[in-house]
Amino acid sequence: MGTRPIRDFRSDTVTVAGPAMREAMAAAPVGDDVYDEDPTVNRLQDRVAELAGKEAALFLTSGTQSNLSAVLSHCGRGDEFIIGRDYHILLNEAAGAAALGGASPWPIDCDADGAISPDDVRAAIREPDIHHPVSRLLCLENTVNGFVQPVDRIAKLAATGHDCGLAVHLDGARLFNAAVACGVGIDAFLDDVDTVSLCLSKGLGAPVGTVLAGDRATIARAHRARKILGGGLRQAGHLAAAGLYALDHHVDRLADDHARADRLANDLRPIGALSLEQGSNMVWVTPPAEHHDDLVAHLEANGLLAIFWKPTMRFVTHHDIDDADVDELVDAFVRFFDAR
């Protein structure tokens, strides 16, 4: 990639803890979290429970571990959970719920913005029959591939799930992005949701960690699931301190990521060869198929990284992307297509 600095638009997971966050991590009071004696972990869990409007919360190592612990807390072996066909738990978590928990997903279609419909949820509920698995859980997500699911949409889906006798889990890996985009607190999405998984290591910029929130009984079951999954940590307060710092300093600034993604999309739209979509901090770019590989090589040669899927590439703005990085990316696109 030459001598150009690397500008990494692959994901908001690539952020690096800055000096102030590292100082907070180093200074954190700690104890043995397996004995529930780490004061910083306990403070983080209490803080997230309050933000989410829930009774309790549990610190976990990752979003995958958190979502799996949630599914295991709601479903037994042979049970079924209903989920959007494009959702992360279904596609990108190694079928853990089935492999480790014996819970089977039943996918339903999503629209272009990642939404599922209440009617499709109702239609997916299994009839009581010995030939069928038992429908136990509805899994929602927000954001979905960057697209914000509005408060009323989540509320209607959660109410539908409960009307059908299902528990409701929300994969809120980027729920803070959705909340900032809608100008509300995360609790606005969660009145009718039983459990929510909140990632600290994406847009919030912490190096590790996700927090699962819900009622005390469900979180107790998730705590046991976390142990089964090897998630018992000791002096985890050094990691939890990064999450507390992120909650104090990195939530409101998510609006900057959204604004940069919006500007990136708007600045690329004059390039008529491109098809573009943008949601919160993600921009999806589809170049002409015959130019895809050459465009990737050009961007990489200029130190610009993204997820270069075919046919559509993904660019994500985050804490470590600034205005100059966006300008450099736009300039690289313009130079490539001007030469065609």
Side-chain angles (χ1 to χ4, degrees):
M1 297 183 185
T3 59
R4 290 177 179 266
I6 294 174
R7 294 169 168 88
D8 198 339
F9 290 85
R10 287 176 299 170
S11 177
D12 43 14
T13 62
V14 303
T15 55
V16 176
M21 181 180 283
R22 293 182 187 215
E23 182 178 345
M25 294 170 70
V30 298
D32 192 328
D33 183 53
V34 172
Y35 296 132
D36 296 324
E37 293 176 353
D38 191 300
T40 308
V41 171
N42 292 339
R43 188 156 60 94
L44 174 64
Q45 291 172 163
D46 291 345
R47 174 82 176 278
V48 172
E50 182 180 5
L51 288 172
K54 300 301 180 186
E55 291 179 347
L58 180 67
F59 182 57
L60 300 103
T61 59
S62 69
T64 296
Q65 189 182 70
S66 178
N67 283 328
L68 179 53
S69 296
V71 173
L72 296 181
S73 74
H74 292 298
C75 295
R77 301 192 69 83
D79 288 342
E80 187 170 76
F81 59 96
I82 297 164
I83 187 167
R85 194 176 300 278
D86 297 335
Y87 290 3
H88 199 273
I89 292 174
L90 179 69
L91 297 181
N92 297 300
E93 298 185 3
L100 301 179
S104 175
W106 186 249
I108 58 178
D109 288 337
C110 303
D111 68 16
D113 291 331
I116 59 177
S117 78
D119 287 344
D120 286 345
V121 171
R122 291 189 188 92
I125 303 294
R126 298 288 193 166
E127 297 176 355
D129 189 301
I130 62 170
H131 299 89
H132 298 162
V134 177
S135 301
R136 293 287 188 197
L137 176 66
L138 172 63
C139 288
L140 306 176
E141 188 170 314
N142 203 8
T143 65
V144 180
N145 294 324
F147 295 104
V148 173
Q149 309 301 300
V151 171
D152 61 344
R153 180 179 297 164
I154 296 294
K156 288 176 183 176
L157 286 165
T160 299
H162 287 153
D163 287 346
C164 295
L166 305 177
V168 180
H169 172 65
L170 174 63
D171 177 1
R174 294 183 174 91
L175 188 64
F176 283 100
N177 290 85
V180 167
C182 295
V184 298
I186 60 169
D187 59 321
F189 297 91
L190 302 176
D191 284 346
D192 295 316
V193 168
D194 296 297
T195 52
V196 58
S197 180
L198 298 160
C199 187
L200 303 170
S201 64
K202 292 186 171 69
L204 295 188
V208 174
T210 291
V211 181
L212 179 69
D215 66 87
R216 287 190 180 88
T218 306
I219 294 302
R221 294 194 298 273
H223 199 164
R224 182 175 181 83
R226 186 187 76 174
K227 177 63 177 177
I228 293 170
L229 297 171
L233 302 175
R234 299 300 179 178
Q235 288 71 40
H238 294 299
L239 301 175
L244 285 166
Y245 183 91
L247 291 173
D248 287 337
H249 299 281
H250 291 173
V251 174
D252 291 342
R253 63 147 309 281
L254 291 172
D256 298 335
D257 297 340
H258 300 172
R260 289 189 177 104
D262 187 62
R263 184 164 71 84
L264 172 60
N266 287 335
D267 288 353
L268 291 179
R269 283 196 175 93
I271 303 174
L274 300 177
S275 175
L276 294 161
E277 291 184 275
Q278 184 255 328
S280 61
N281 67 325
M282 296 187 187
V283 180
W284 300 83
V285 180
T286 307
E290 65 272 20
H291 293 322
H292 183 283
D293 291 348
D294 288 341
L295 176 59
V296 170
H298 171 75
L299 294 174
E300 289 181 336
N302 283 273
L304 295 158
L305 301 182
I307 299 293
F308 294 125
W309 288 312
K310 287 185 178 181
T312 302
M313 308 171 177
R314 188 187 76 173
F315 298 84
V316 182
T317 53
H318 51 78
H319 184 271
D320 294 353
I321 290 292
D322 61 19
D323 290 336
D325 298 329
V326 173
D327 291 340
E328 181 71 18
L329 179 58
V330 171
D331 180 67
F333 267 94
V334 169
R335 285 187 285 108
F336 178 82
F337 283 101
D338 280 351
R340 293 300 171 279

